[in-house]
Amino acid sequence: MDTKKVWFITGASKGLGLSLVNQLLKAGQYVVATSRNIDDLIKVTNSDSENFLPLAVDLKDDKDVEKAISQAVKKFNRIDVVINNAGYGIGGSIEELNDDETRASFDVNIFGTLNVIRNVMPYLRLQKSGHIINISSIAGFTGATGWAVYSASKAAVIGLSEVLAEDVKSFGIKVTVVAPGAFRTNFLKPDSLTLPQNTISEYEEVRNSHARYLKMDGEQIGDPEKAASAMIAIVALPEPPLHLLLGNDAYQRANAKIQYLEKEFKQWETITNSTSFTN
């Protein structure tokens, strides 16, 4: 990139977040990276560059997020790009996942993202510029058996991003929601994936679905370095996409869902249109 920007990236100690941090630092960009554990973050990035500010942040804590963003602005004077990457997978049927397990997932996947957006917006509005990139998943557009809560949280990321884009466009702020397919990260490992503590034997298809996904670990088709490069590239565009699919698998699944919806909507068109008042 020709112009130096200040990037604020959550969930930066592994996966796509770490790929982004490493590529941006190599390109001479200014990077603020957050993780729950700052020691892990410093260890994996192995950078003492003045362009780098690693921070330990609890994204569930609004005040902690506010403090982190304030530290970023204090060091680099501004924030240009926000990448809400932090999140984790959660499998299981709705019946199997208890309230604590479900809420914990939403606390990170949704409310963590909202906390970052809420606290960074005053700075972006004042600048009259910025780009917010929210990482969803293809599961947020078309889910799979056994991943209802995860799909719901990622669908919420898509929904909030679409409306956010409308709300902030008059301030010169751009929004992109990214829906990756399967990438060869640690997403399917225990530190990034939660399964129900109490399973129900009748949910055989849910167990089968989990087994198929876990078997993919280390063999996913997606290259996280290429995904990071793609996200960095769209920031330089004068008109970046609102929706960005990453991975051929994501593209295929999204188009299958679109075709399914078109067919179903058409099938029930008569009933749909029968509910209006008639004169």
Side-chain angles (χ1 to χ4, degrees):
M1 299 181 67
D2 296 331
T3 305
K4 283 192 175 184
K5 295 182 181 294
V6 180
W7 301 67
F8 187 96
I9 303 171
T10 68
S13 63
K14 54 191 175 184
L16 292 177
L18 181 58
S19 294
L20 283 161
V21 169
N22 287 335
Q23 288 190 29
L24 290 166
L25 288 175
K26 186 176 180 180
Q29 299 288 298
Y30 301 111
V31 179
V32 183
T34 81
S35 177
R36 289 171 295 176
N37 189 312
I38 194 169
D39 291 332
D40 289 346
L41 180 57
I42 293 172
K43 181 178 179 180
V44 294
T45 53
N46 191 30
S47 175
D48 58 0
S49 169
E50 284 297 313
N51 291 359
F52 184 46
L53 177 61
L55 297 172
V57 181
D58 180 1
L59 295 176
K60 304 186 299 298
D61 185 332
D62 189 60
K63 293 298 182 183
D64 207 30
V65 173
E66 180 183 27
K67 178 183 175 183
I69 290 172
S70 177
Q71 288 176 283
V73 174
K74 183 178 180 180
K75 181 172 178 64
F76 295 122
N77 298 317
R78 61 186 293 118
I79 295 175
D80 298 298
V81 185
V82 177
I83 302 184
N84 283 304
N85 171 69
Y88 67 92
I90 180 168
S93 69
I94 291 174
E95 184 183 2
E96 292 173 309
L97 291 166
N98 63 38
D99 186 69
D100 289 341
E101 290 170 316
T102 300
R103 288 180 184 273
S105 170
F106 272 71
D107 279 344
V108 175
N109 292 355
I110 297 298
F111 290 102
T113 294
L114 291 173
N115 286 342
V116 172
I117 294 169
R118 184 186 306 111
N119 284 289
V120 80
M121 275 304 306
Y123 299 100
L124 301 187
R125 280 193 293 106
L126 185 62
Q127 296 169 186
K128 295 191 180 301
S129 67
H131 193 162
I132 297 173
I133 299 177
N134 296 325
I135 308 300
S136 176
S137 166
I138 189 57
F141 184 69
T142 175
T145 298
W147 306 93
V149 169
Y150 179 69
S151 294
S153 70
K154 290 304 185 178
V157 172
I158 294 174
L160 71 87
S161 299
E162 291 173 342
V163 179
L164 176 67
E166 290 296 315
D167 291 346
V168 304
K169 65 181 180 181
S170 64
F171 307 130
I173 300 167
K174 298 162 184 173
V175 177
T176 298
V177 58
V178 178
F183 278 80
R184 204 169 297 179
T185 65
N186 59 342
F187 178 78
L188 294 174
K189 298 187 184 302
D191 62 341
S192 297
L193 176 63
T194 295
L195 296 176
Q197 296 177 13
N198 298 302
T199 59
I200 298 172
S201 61
E202 285 86 346
Y203 283 103
E204 294 182 11
E205 284 305 311
V206 170
R207 301 286 84 74
N208 292 338
S209 174
H210 292 170
R212 286 194 298 271
Y213 275 87
L214 291 172
K215 191 175 181 180
M216 289 171 53
D217 188 24
E219 299 180 0
Q220 298 95 323
I221 191 173
D223 182 342
E225 295 302 322
K226 292 180 178 178
S229 295
M231 284 188 275
I232 293 168
I234 66 168
V235 171
L237 299 176
E239 295 296 333
L242 172 55
H243 303 89
L244 179 65
L245 298 171
L246 289 179
N248 179 261
D249 55 337
Y251 185 83
Q252 297 297 330
R253 286 176 62 179
N255 277 281
K257 176 68 175 285
I258 291 168
Q259 292 172 22
Y260 168 81
L261 288 176
E262 288 179 340
K263 181 179 179 181
E264 187 174 50
F265 292 161
K266 186 66 177 177
Q267 179 181 356
W268 299 103
E269 180 181 8
T270 300
I271 290 179
T272 299
N273 293 330
S274 71
T275 58
S276 302
F277 283 107
T278 55
N279 296 327

